[in-house]
Amino acid sequence: MKREKTIREADEKQKIINHLSRLEGQIKGVKKMVNEDKYCNDILVQLAAIDKSIKSLSRTVLNRHMQTCVLEQIKEGKDEVINEVIELLKRFDL
Amino acid sequence: MKREKTIREADEKQKIINHLSRLEGQIKGVKKMVNEDKYCNDILVQLAAIDKSIKSLSRTVLNRHMQTCVLEQIKEGKDEVINEVIELLKRFDL
Amino acid sequence: MKREKTIREADEKQKIINHLSRLEGQIKGVKKMVNEDKYCNDILVQLAAIDKSIKSLSRTVLNRHMQTCVLEQIKEGKDEVINEVIELLKRFDL
Amino acid sequence: MKREKTIREADEKQKIINHLSRLEGQIKGVKKMVNEDKYCNDILVQLAAIDKSIKSLSRTVLNRHMQTCVLEQIKEGKDEVINEVIELLKRFDL
């Protein structure tokens, strides 16, 4: 059942790439803080922000996934995609 | 009240840096997947793994923070550190 | 679009009712603990257990919902059910 | 180390009891919905609200616990209460 490709529009793709680049930058920032012995509370505030940012990106990609791939596959009779979604939600603790 | 520095042992510091470097690698990996138009479900599985990894790192840093800085500050009479912890937990949705 | 009814099998329905009755019992138990001035940590352990139990029940009902109602509605051309699911996941912070 | 009692002020205690009673009412409401074969999405919306409500009550009790019992115990030299808090946070997935 597993699909190999998801063709995203250039604009949408760029937004996701930008979001991931920002995340990379944030992680580099935390590394610098640890190297400079910054106060743990401040490091944890940054880690919480990174966590929120990943959750937000995941939500964007998940919603798009459901509105396109999941819908299409069900219409093509590939009902098992619903179980794939259920497995995925479990990974996000739902 | 805010402290400027937290002196961590070299070993502990290295472990945190290594964890952050792995996270950076994982994010680069997701960027590659998006660029190659990989199937969203597979991208989401990676994002869920990154999320778990940040949570786990945050837990490690938080526990160490409480066992050292928080404890010390309370013993020094800086009770307001408890409110700092409460604010921090709120950022992690607790 | 909103459906009025979901006909569940008697057995499935009974399991959900039983789960909810257990939750009710657990909440009554916490009330008793508060009335008897029990130690907060022990009360919080119970609240954490109740939280896990509600999450687990929600997961069961959500999965069943997707495997039945959501699938059927998409097959009937009611694609907007996907947005209903997205709204629902947002309520569970996803 | 474990304490047997936490003496809460009458007002604070009443607020917690009221919150728990509201939760009990909400759960009874969901039971009624299941019995009446209500649409799963609507049931899930209620379960999400109950989940939020328990999280909010837990946060209130936890914050009070840290500002009183945890602080006092550390001042009495019972540093191990920090590990008790860490164990507790783990139960809330932190």
Side-chain angles (χ1 to χ4, degrees):
Chain A
M1 178 194 67
K2 209 163 152 190
R3 304 206 323 181
E4 283 311 298
K5 294 276 177 189
T6 299
I7 307 304
R8 293 175 193 81
E9 288 177 36
D11 176 56
E12 190 194 344
K13 206 161 137 173
Q14 197 51 52
K15 272 186 194 162
I16 300 174
I17 297 288
N18 291 350
H19 196 137
L20 288 163
S21 298
R22 278 198 304 279
L23 272 166
E24 239 185 287
Q26 284 174 285
I27 288 173
K28 273 188 223 298
V30 176
K31 256 163 104 169
K32 197 164 167 287
M33 290 175 84
V34 175
N35 269 323
E36 293 173 352
D37 295 317
K38 293 292 186 210
Y39 181 40
C40 333
N41 185 75
D42 300 342
I43 289 176
L44 284 160
V45 166
Q46 290 309 312
L47 288 175
I50 292 174
D51 186 49
K52 289 256 178 270
S53 178
I54 291 211
K55 275 271 171 58
S56 149
L57 176 62
S58 304
R59 193 175 302 125
T60 305
V61 178
L62 175 65
N63 293 354
R64 194 88 186 102
H65 174 52
M66 297 210 293
Q67 287 166 333
T68 55
C69 316
V70 174
L71 210 57
E72 282 163 30
Q73 290 183 69
I74 293 172
K75 286 180 182 302
E76 290 166 9
K78 296 171 186 158
D79 293 6
E80 59 277 29
V81 73
I82 280 289
N83 293 323
E84 194 185 76
V85 173
I86 289 172
E87 281 307 306
L88 186 61
L89 295 180
K90 209 185 285 174
R91 289 175 188 269
F92 285 99
D93 292 319
L94 198 72
Chain B
M1 178 194 66
K2 210 165 154 191
R3 304 207 321 181
E4 283 309 298
K5 294 276 176 188
T6 300
I7 307 304
R8 293 174 193 83
E9 288 177 34
D11 176 56
E12 190 194 343
K13 206 161 137 172
Q14 196 51 52
K15 272 188 193 161
I16 300 174
I17 297 288
N18 291 350
H19 196 137
L20 288 163
S21 298
R22 278 198 304 280
L23 271 167
E24 238 185 287
Q26 283 175 285
I27 288 173
K28 272 189 224 298
V30 175
K31 256 163 104 169
K32 197 165 169 288
M33 290 175 84
V34 175
N35 269 323
E36 291 172 352
D37 295 318
K38 293 291 186 209
Y39 181 41
C40 335
N41 185 74
D42 300 342
I43 290 174
L44 284 160
V45 166
Q46 291 308 312
L47 288 175
I50 292 174
D51 187 48
K52 289 255 178 270
S53 180
I54 291 210
K55 274 273 169 59
S56 150
L57 176 62
S58 305
R59 194 176 299 124
T60 305
V61 178
L62 175 65
N63 293 354
R64 194 87 185 100
H65 174 52
M66 297 210 293
Q67 287 166 334
T68 57
C69 318
V70 174
L71 209 58
E72 283 163 30
Q73 291 184 67
I74 293 173
K75 285 179 183 302
E76 292 166 8
K78 295 173 187 156
D79 293 7
E80 60 276 27
V81 72
I82 279 290
N83 293 323
E84 193 185 78
V85 173
I86 288 173
E87 280 309 304
L88 186 61
L89 295 181
K90 209 184 284 174
R91 290 176 187 267
F92 285 100
D93 292 319
L94 198 70
Chain C
M1 177 195 67
K2 209 165 155 189
R3 303 205 324 180
E4 282 311 298
K5 294 277 177 188
T6 299
I7 306 304
R8 294 175 192 83
E9 288 178 34
D11 175 56
E12 191 195 342
K13 205 160 138 173
Q14 196 51 53
K15 273 188 194 161
I16 300 174
I17 298 288
N18 291 350
H19 197 137
L20 288 163
S21 298
R22 278 198 304 278
L23 272 166
E24 239 184 287
Q26 284 174 285
I27 288 173
K28 272 187 222 300
V30 175
K31 256 163 103 169
K32 199 166 167 287
M33 290 174 85
V34 175
N35 269 322
E36 293 172 352
D37 295 317
K38 293 290 186 210
Y39 181 39
C40 334
N41 185 75
D42 300 342
I43 290 175
L44 284 160
V45 166
Q46 290 309 311
L47 288 175
I50 292 174
D51 186 49
K52 290 256 178 269
S53 178
I54 290 210
K55 275 271 169 60
S56 150
L57 176 63
S58 303
R59 194 177 299 126
T60 305
V61 178
L62 175 65
N63 293 354
R64 194 87 186 100
H65 174 51
M66 298 210 293
Q67 287 166 333
T68 55
C69 317
V70 175
L71 209 58
E72 281 162 31
Q73 290 183 66
I74 293 172
K75 285 179 182 302
E76 290 166 9
K78 295 171 187 157
D79 293 6
E80 61 276 27
V81 73
I82 280 289
N83 293 324
E84 194 185 76
V85 173
I86 288 172
E87 280 307 305
L88 186 61
L89 294 181
K90 208 184 286 173
R91 290 175 186 267
F92 285 99
D93 293 319
L94 199 72
Chain D
M1 177 194 69
K2 212 165 153 189
R3 305 205 322 179
E4 282 309 299
K5 294 277 177 187
T6 299
I7 306 304
R8 292 175 194 83
E9 288 178 33
D11 176 56
E12 191 194 343
K13 206 160 137 172
Q14 196 52 51
K15 272 188 193 160
I16 300 174
I17 297 287
N18 291 350
H19 196 137
L20 288 163
S21 298
R22 278 198 304 278
L23 272 166
E24 239 185 286
Q26 284 175 286
I27 289 173
K28 273 188 224 298
V30 175
K31 256 163 106 169
K32 197 165 168 287
M33 291 175 84
V34 175
N35 268 323
E36 292 172 352
D37 296 316
K38 294 290 186 210
Y39 181 40
C40 333
N41 184 74
D42 300 342
I43 289 174
L44 284 160
V45 166
Q46 290 309 312
L47 288 175
I50 292 174
D51 187 48
K52 290 255 178 270
S53 180
I54 290 211
K55 275 272 170 59
S56 148
L57 176 61
S58 304
R59 194 175 300 126
T60 305
V61 179
L62 175 65
N63 293 353
R64 194 87 186 101
H65 174 52
M66 298 211 293
Q67 287 166 333
T68 56
C69 317
V70 174
L71 209 58
E72 283 163 29
Q73 290 184 67
I74 293 172
K75 286 180 183 302
E76 291 166 7
K78 296 173 185 156
D79 294 6
E80 60 277 28
V81 72
I82 279 291
N83 293 323
E84 194 185 78
V85 172
I86 289 173
E87 280 308 304
L88 186 61
L89 295 181
K90 209 185 282 174
R91 289 176 188 268
F92 285 99
D93 292 320
L94 197 71

